[in-house]
Amino acid sequence: MTVEAPAVPDLSDAALARVTQALAATAEQHDRTAEFPWAGIHTVHDAGLLTLGIGPRHGGPGLSAVDAVRVFEALGAGDPAVALIVAMTVGQHAAQDRSPWWPEELYREVVARSVDAPVLLNAVRAEPEWGAPARGGLPATTVRREGDGWLLSGRKGFATGSEGLAYHLVWAVHHDGPSGEPELAHAIVPGDDPGVRVERTWDHLGQRATSTHDVIYTDVRIPADHFRGVPQSRLSRQDFPGVIALGLPALYVGVGRAAQTFLHRFARDRVPTSLGRPIATTEHIQQTAGQVEALLVQAEELLLGLAARADAGDPGATRRFGLAKVLATRGAIEAVQTAVAALGNPALTRHHPLERHLRDVLAARVHPPQEDAALLATGRHLLAE
């Protein structure tokens, strides 16, 4: 059977700008209702961006780290909730291209389906009691042998994209393996399995439409090759591919760019009677605009420069991904906060998008590596040398 390959998308600045504009048209509605942002997801799919990361061995376009920064900044400027859900899917494709682990026939099916419609993927790892997996410990979600397959049960939290996922890649533990120690891996679980139930718990300050709900898995039956556990002592540290390690902070730089766009438009249009001319002509607002640009340029150049090094195979680039996330998101947050401070009350009304941009950009802080973990890891490495 011949499988149609994903098309190579147009990643020109003009094409990405059109996607940004289309996403921005529905972003406010998604934020207000917190409903799954299917309109935005279809916009991204129609532009060919949802299959980025699928490697050439499967007929896909692949994705460089530099283009990941450009793409996710554009998506984040349009609708960061859509951008985050897309990033999870693209990240899984990039990880599969780098270190294949899916059953080959199943992954080829995913690629084939992705040509015609959105097929969303995400690794579902966190648990309400356990917290962030990066902090260590074993999950309470388990798999156990049942005939020639597995039964998976547990509860996960913060499952971004939950209501729209075609496949949940569920981090689980098997306690009765031949190694005599806990064996861990991602279990591949179809999102439409009757044993999968999404509980709508996500009601956050920002990124409200990301569908980052809890998911309950009850005796979900999966084939034997959908879980391949590795003894805990043999687990290696899994680094994010550069396309995600740098693409995620770029998403929030995009939020900063959206805030900047509003700042400029408002400043040109606002003419106080006491001033008699647009506030854009005042030195205070001009200096603010310069400060916002400086913060965003600094973040962009950091991410693009490190991405170029990663694409060139520089091994030192990977070690700086954590710090890049910290510094770029600090810049994005400060840029939005600077715009808000300059405009005062108009910045905080829901009649304008700036308050939404402020809420959304603050979500950058919770993505791994969180700031304390990134700084601690860097400090330990430096002091151990």
Side-chain angles (χ1 to χ4, degrees):
M1 180 181 68
T2 302
V3 176
E4 184 180 354
V8 177
D10 183 355
L11 299 185
S12 67
D13 290 344
L16 293 178
R18 289 192 292 271
V19 176
T20 298
Q21 185 176 15
L23 291 178
T26 56
E28 181 182 357
Q29 177 187 350
H30 292 155
D31 174 76
R32 286 183 179 269
T33 66
E35 294 177 355
F36 195 87
W38 278 118
I41 295 296
H42 281 285
T43 293
V44 174
H45 175 266
D46 292 345
L49 304 181
L50 199 53
T51 53
L52 291 173
I54 296 176
R57 78 182 78 179
H58 290 101
L63 183 62
S64 70
V66 167
D67 280 340
V69 170
R70 296 177 57 249
V71 167
F72 285 109
E73 182 175 345
L75 299 184
D79 187 338
V82 171
L84 187 61
I85 294 170
V86 171
M88 299 300 101
T89 296
V90 170
Q92 291 306 315
H93 287 310
Q96 172 68 11
D97 184 48
R98 184 174 68 167
S99 301
W101 67 278
W102 282 65
E104 180 65 18
E105 184 176 348
L106 177 60
Y107 188 69
R108 288 188 178 277
E109 178 187 331
V110 166
V111 172
R113 288 173 53 196
S114 298
V115 173
D116 298 319
V119 178
L120 301 177
L121 316 171
N122 194 12
V124 183
R125 294 171 61 91
E127 294 181 358
E129 294 81 14
W130 181 30
R135 305 284 179 169
L138 291 174
T141 301
T142 62
V143 293
R144 66 182 190 275
R145 278 290 184 183
E146 176 74 12
D148 59 352
W150 304 94
L151 287 180
L152 178 142
S153 295
R155 182 186 184 115
K156 293 291 187 181
F158 306 115
T160 295
S162 57
E163 296 162 295
L165 296 179
Y167 288 97
H168 302 224
L169 309 176
V170 184
W171 189 245
V173 61
H174 176 44
H175 287 291
D176 300 315
S179 67
E181 60 177 308
E183 298 180 351
L184 297 105
H186 287 106
I188 302 174
V189 176
D192 60 358
D193 188 282
V196 176
R197 179 169 66 87
V198 174
E199 191 169 299
R200 290 180 56 85
T201 53
W202 182 251
D203 188 17
H204 274 45
L205 177 73
Q207 288 286 47
R208 290 179 46 75
T210 57
S211 187
T212 306
H213 300 300
D214 286 10
V215 185
I216 300 168
Y217 305 92
T218 304
D219 290 337
V220 179
R221 183 174 179 81
I222 57 175
D225 61 357
H226 282 39
F227 177 85
R228 297 172 178 171
V230 176
Q232 186 179 18
S233 63
R234 289 168 45 197
L235 282 176
S236 58
R237 180 174 176 271
Q238 297 295 313
D239 293 320
F240 288 114
V243 298
I244 294 304
L246 302 176
L248 274 179
L251 180 167
Y252 291 100
V253 176
V255 177
R257 285 296 184 192
Q260 180 189 51
T261 297
F262 174 78
L263 169 66
H264 291 180
R265 184 172 69 248
F266 185 88
R268 294 186 185 111
D269 293 343
R270 172 68 170 157
V271 183
T273 55
S274 59
L275 184 63
R277 53 192 170 90
I279 62 172
T281 63
T282 66
E283 288 188 357
H284 171 62
I285 294 299
Q286 290 169 353
Q287 184 178 25
T288 296
Q291 174 67 359
V292 168
E293 176 69 1
L295 291 164
L296 296 176
V297 166
Q298 182 181 52
E300 286 173 345
E301 294 300 327
L302 168 64
L303 295 176
L304 288 169
L306 201 56
R309 288 179 55 188
D311 288 338
D314 181 349
T318 304
R319 291 196 294 270
R320 294 187 172 182
F321 284 173
L323 284 183
K325 185 265 182 179
V326 169
L327 295 171
T329 54
R330 276 183 184 175
I333 291 169
E334 187 178 350
V336 179
Q337 290 177 333
T338 298
V340 169
L343 297 187
N345 270 331
L348 296 177
T349 176
R350 296 197 74 182
H351 293 298
H352 298 313
L354 192 51
E355 65 86 29
R356 169 165 52 88
H357 300 324
L358 177 61
R359 290 186 286 106
D360 284 338
V361 79
L362 292 175
R365 289 176 170 152
V366 304
H367 292 301
Q370 293 174 356
E371 185 161 319
D372 65 326
L375 296 177
L376 177 61
T378 300
R380 279 181 173 169
H381 175 75
L382 292 172
L383 294 173
E385 286 184 337

